[in-house]
Amino acid sequence: MHSTSLGDDGAELGSLEPGRAGEFLAHVDRGREFIGRFNGLPDVVTDLESSRAFLRAYADKAASDTGRIAGIRVDGGLVGAVVLRRLDVGQAIAEAGCWLEPSAVGRGLVTRAARVLIDWAVRERKIHRVEWWVSPENEPSIAVARRLGMTKDGVLRESYLYRGKRHDEEIWSVLAPDWLR
């Protein structure tokens, strides 16, 4: 993925390859506690080796057309990412996700970046349904789903075991015909 402008503020969306594992680890470290409130990423990316493995897994997903990751940069520095955790071209379904470090919150970066990624999935990969799975307590992420025109499909009660506790998950989605209007 080449670099794509996210607006007039200098924010960009671009590739996040395994060769950037050090930069990715530093980003996760800056937001470890904040990101970890609702996202297991900080429990997975703990050192340079695990950072490289995480990015390698997404490079493998991209190569097999089963997922994507793209970094959100402000003034050249990595501050977050959007992902297609799951991309099933045969079923035309994808699951999008995101995270930001605290310094980047409140600027609409995730909404803008997710819009680019979802648009690519719908237009280029012909995805019919894009899902957004979120904790009911994660109000900023739910707000992003709403801004993206998604509909709340339902709640999976106590479906997500995270840090020893069961959590509910809301599923939001947008369908291609609605996205393309």
Side-chain angles (χ1 to χ4, degrees):
M1 171 185 276
H2 62 283
S3 184
T4 301
S5 173
L6 294 176
D8 296 336
D9 59 358
E12 294 182 329
L13 186 66
S15 296
L16 197 49
E17 304 295 331
R20 294 189 171 260
E23 176 189 32
F24 187 67
L25 176 61
H27 153 65
V28 172
D29 284 344
R30 286 191 301 273
R32 188 166 296 283
E33 185 176 321
F34 180 79
I35 295 167
R37 293 176 309 147
F38 301 109
N39 187 318
L41 177 69
D43 298 345
V44 174
V45 176
T46 57
D47 56 21
L48 189 58
E49 183 179 325
S50 60
S51 179
R52 190 174 295 112
F54 182 85
L55 294 177
R56 167 58 47 212
Y58 269 97
D60 292 345
K61 284 183 175 193
S64 64
D65 204 23
T66 59
R68 293 285 187 281
I69 188 169
I72 301 170
R73 296 180 182 284
V74 175
D75 298 325
L78 183 64
V79 297
V82 289
V83 296
L84 292 176
R85 293 184 54 198
R86 180 173 48 109
L87 176 65
D88 185 333
V89 176
Q91 289 294 316
I93 295 175
E95 178 193 343
C98 67
W99 62 84
L100 280 177
E101 60 186 64
S103 67
V105 170
R107 296 191 247 177
L109 293 169
V110 166
T111 302
R112 291 184 276 160
R115 198 170 274 134
V116 170
L117 193 61
I118 291 169
D119 199 64
W120 173 84
V122 169
R123 292 179 190 279
E124 301 298 324
R125 301 308 302 131
K126 305 301 182 211
I127 296 300
H128 177 74
R129 175 185 169 88
V130 178
E131 297 176 348
W132 189 267
W133 293 45
V134 59
S135 166
E137 289 87 38
N138 191 344
E139 293 176 17
S141 189
I142 291 168
V144 169
R146 285 188 177 112
R147 284 192 295 274
L148 292 170
M150 293 185 165
T151 299
K152 181 178 170 181
D153 294 328
V155 177
L156 298 176
R157 296 179 311 128
E158 297 186 7
S159 62
Y160 182 57
L161 182 62
Y162 182 57
R163 295 182 175 173
K165 182 181 174 203
R166 292 227 160 257
H167 298 267
D168 293 351
E169 291 179 288
E170 291 184 4
I171 301 177
W172 292 70
S173 69
V174 65
L175 304 179
D178 298 326
W179 184 263
L180 296 171
R181 279 189 196 145

